[in-house]
Amino acid sequence: MNTVTVRASSVYDILIEKGSLAHCGAYAKRCISPGCKAAIITDDTVASLYLDCVRSSFEQEGFTVSSFVFPHGEDSKCEKTLFEVYDFLAESTITRSDFIVALGGGVVGDLAGFAAATYQRGIAFMQIPTTFLAAIDSSVGGKTAINIPAGKNLVGAFYQPFLVVCDTDTFDTLPEETFADGVAEMIKYGLIASDTLFERIEQGNIRPDIDDIVTQCVSIKRDVVEQDEHDTGLRMILNYGHTFGHAIEKATNHRITHGHAVALGMVLIARLGERMGLHSSELTHRIEQCIASYGLPIEYEGDLPALSDGMVHDKKRFGSSIRLIFVKTPGKAEIFPIEVSELVRLLGETSHSMEYAVHGALHGSVTAPTSKSDLHRLMIAAALCPTQKTVISPYTMNEDIRATAGVMEAAGAKFEFSDTSITITGIDLSTPQQDFVADCHESGATLRFLVPVLSALGCRCTFIGQGKLPQRPMTPLIEEMEAHGISFSAPKLPFSVSGVLRAGTYTFPGNISSQYITGLLMALPLLSQDSEIHLTSALESCGYVNMTLSVLKRFRIRIDLMSPTCWHIPGGQSYTSPTLLRAEGDWSNAAFWLVAGALSGTVKTEGLDFGSLQGDRAICDILKEMGAEIKIEGNSVTVSKSELHAVTVDACQIPDLIPVVATAASFAKGTTHIINAGRLRLKESDRLSAVADSLKALGAIVEEGPDSLTITGQPQLLGGTVDSYNDHRMAMSMAVASLRCKQPVRIVNPSCVKKSYPTFFEEFKRLGGAVDVIDLGESH
């Protein structure tokens, strides 16, 4: 016999032994006075198999036995059955000196346990689980409940049994589907708490070791329950897969059983965790493979966004957020709060797979969206003006801007969005927020700007991200910040930061991301002492740093340029709001329309500032050099269809332009050389490979080097299907390429343009292009 002792609000044993059902009365006699009454509560399926054996065992030990049998199934775990149990207990004259025996699976244990917790304000009860699922889950830990129409287990109590007796022989009478319900919970335990258990499960054929596996599972649950009996913290990890699982049960009216729903829940949360950058695709694959190997489902055929209705009523919801459990590596689970609205959004994005078939020619005028780069900087600076209000107008909302606003709101700023402006109330810097989640979504700027800024404020928080963001480099910044007082819980996302950033000298090579420099330039003025930033070589993408310096100057922050590679940052400064600000038009996104005009028609792009410090303003010079017909009037640029010729383009300062410049080069006479482009491999996708592969898929002649592209132009390409690589600039570039293709270009996952330019395809259509939506159905 294996024995696991639980020391919670009461102390009790879990006895695990084949054949123990015949001795359950004797085991109960050790814990409770003989001669009292035992009220056995079970369902009709279990009663036909084990009721006589259990009744006999208790009667042999001198207990007076009565029994109540109800119809099996989740539908019986309800108020109606509960009150029938109360009536039975009263009619059987059960008193506080007597006890209830829950004989059966999870439904029986939950219902009988709740009846015991509430009848006569609480009487003793004993659990005899007869399913694998109940043995390792519901019979241990003291959770009891019934379901109500609004949700599963919403009415219940924490109430510990005085004894649990598990006869693993009962598992032999279970249908394979019912046994598999327990397998799902077993997999859960391995994933959240024991890599060795998970590895054993992956090997298959667990039945020869079933007693030891049950013991391992209940020991894991025992350890958690002893630390958090009432489910306010650590115990939530036991709900891994259950938030989705319970919603699936409700959505299918329990046609999908609990264990099968939890299996689906673990797959869905793994896929969501991968999307959020919490773990690798390899872990998702292992989880899916393990679950499928036991005959459990890994594909949910229902509507994913519709599950959010069930999650709204989940017990793990706190206010407007819900606490989801993620596994980053087998054996380690973490609790992450997420806004219900954000969860709904993520489910909506992953529920359907779309392609756009695009083609045609463009003519007309378009207004450039506001600069994402400028808006990031203005919003952060405004949020750092202590309790002051700043109005920014106009603005273009996109996913990256939403990410920055969300993190700064979590840190204590207030954002109000109207149709034309953003009103920002700055953080009270004397009491910065603590212990919050900073969700950067897929925005590298949000992450790299705000890690230093929030560290300068002394915020303790956890940064998370999605897509490829966790793979994008952070090491140089992390190492320098660790040398200046900040602790990071991990070398890449997700990580927690703590401590207060210290002033001093920060040293980097010049080929690192300019976003590191921007983040520090915005953070270091907040410190009490002076700091310096030194580069050991010339800075790439220096235009973005110049943008930062310009924004800081508008907020009365002084930065002294000591040399092209050294900045002196006086400490003790305060951000002062200019009150009203205007964001620049975005040259990076305007470039798509300028190239579209050169390839297909006449396109006028308005809202551009020729005095801008944005490096991507260079698109005009590049197109001129290629022979494009360009007309500049005031704040607009008009480009007409032209015969282009090859040029050499240095990507060092303009990496974001390269996808659309390469597109133009595909139709330029001669051979274009794009050089110094190695940093494109560290963007939302490996853009160097993505550009080469996508253009070649359309029929272009492209050679990819380690940090270069060589493109031999042709008058026209064939067309075909290309992947967006979940990269907004790739999707837009391929739409522009379609303008000179014989056949339409099908773009997989075009919705990624929401990252920077949500209305891009609407504008494409308005200018005369064709956009045919191809719904591929639900994706998993």
Side-chain angles (χ1 to χ4, degrees), residues 276 278 335-339 403 406-411 434-440 454 460-465 494-496:
M276 294 172 66
L278 299 178
I335 302 167
F336 278 91
I338 185 171
E339 291 293 313
V407 175
M408 294 310 289
E409 281 190 309
Q434 302 293 340
D435 300 320
F436 58 89
V437 174
D439 188 349
C440 301
L454 297 184
R460 292 187 311 273
C461 59
T462 299
F463 283 87
I464 64 173
F495 53 64
S496 298

Side-chain angles (χ1 to χ4, degrees), residues 622-641:
I622 293 171
L623 287 175
K624 282 182 181 178
E625 187 180 357
M626 296 180 81
E629 181 183 332
I630 296 180
K631 183 179 180 181
I632 298 173
E633 294 177 307
N635 68 348
S636 69
V637 182
T638 302
V639 183
S640 299
K641 185 176 180 180

Side-chain angles (χ1 to χ4, degrees), residues 80-142:
K80 177 178 179 293
T81 309
L82 176 67
F83 276 84
E84 289 174 354
V85 171
Y86 289 152
D87 289 341
F88 154 72
L89 295 172
E91 291 168 3
S92 302
T93 62
I94 300 298
T95 68
R96 287 187 184 177
S97 61
D98 302 319
F99 65 102
I100 286 174
V101 178
L103 172 64
V107 169
V108 172
D110 281 359
L111 177 68
F114 187 50
T118 51
Y119 182 72
Q120 294 193 1
R121 296 189 175 92
I123 64 174
F125 88 109
M126 174 181 175
Q127 289 269 22
I128 304 180
T130 59
T131 67
F132 186 21
L133 175 60
I136 63 175
D137 183 38
S138 58
S139 67
V140 183

Side-chain angles (χ1 to χ4, degrees), residues 140-315:
V140 183
K143 280 189 177 181
T144 67
I146 60 168
N147 304 331
I148 61 173
K152 182 170 179 173
N153 297 333
L154 287 184
V155 178
F158 291 96
Y159 197 66
Q160 302 292 346
F162 67 81
L163 180 66
V164 179
V165 176
C166 174
D167 183 346
T168 55
D169 279 343
T170 62
F171 303 166
D172 294 338
T173 62
L174 296 174
E176 282 301 316
E177 185 180 61
T178 305
F179 183 77
D181 284 335
V183 169
E185 290 287 341
M186 172 189 66
I187 293 171
K188 176 198 78 174
Y189 282 117
L191 285 169
I192 66 171
S194 175
D195 57 344
T196 55
L197 175 59
F198 184 62
E199 290 169 2
R200 170 63 187 89
I201 295 167
E202 287 181 302
Q203 296 171 14
N205 190 23
I206 61 169
R207 288 198 184 253
D209 302 322
I210 196 68
D211 282 16
D212 288 339
I213 285 175
V214 170
T215 302
Q216 288 183 65
C217 291
V218 298
S219 296
I220 290 169
K221 186 162 188 178
R222 181 269 315 276
D223 293 344
V224 173
V225 168
E226 288 182 349
Q227 295 179 67
D228 179 24
E229 182 175 355
H230 294 104
D231 204 7
T232 59
L234 176 65
R235 188 167 179 172
M236 290 183 184
I237 69 169
L238 297 174
N239 291 312
Y240 179 64
H242 284 58
T243 299
F244 281 103
H246 287 163
I248 290 169
E249 287 181 86
K250 181 180 179 183
T252 62
N253 196 27
H254 301 287
R255 289 190 301 275
I256 296 180
T257 61
H258 176 71
H260 285 60
V262 167
L264 284 170
M266 289 189 287
V267 171
L268 293 175
I269 200 68
R271 291 171 179 170
L272 181 62
E274 179 187 338
R275 174 175 172 76
M276 294 172 66
L278 299 178
H279 59 75
S280 68
S281 59
E282 179 185 359
L283 177 59
T284 305
H285 178 69
R286 283 183 68 187
I287 292 171
E288 291 176 345
Q289 193 172 43
C290 180
I291 288 172
S293 71
Y294 285 92
L296 289 160
I298 61 171
E299 302 295 353
Y300 176 57
E301 301 302 327
D303 182 11
L304 283 182
L307 294 181
S308 60
D309 180 61
M311 295 180 193
V312 165
H313 300 289
D314 192 275
K315 302 185 301 301

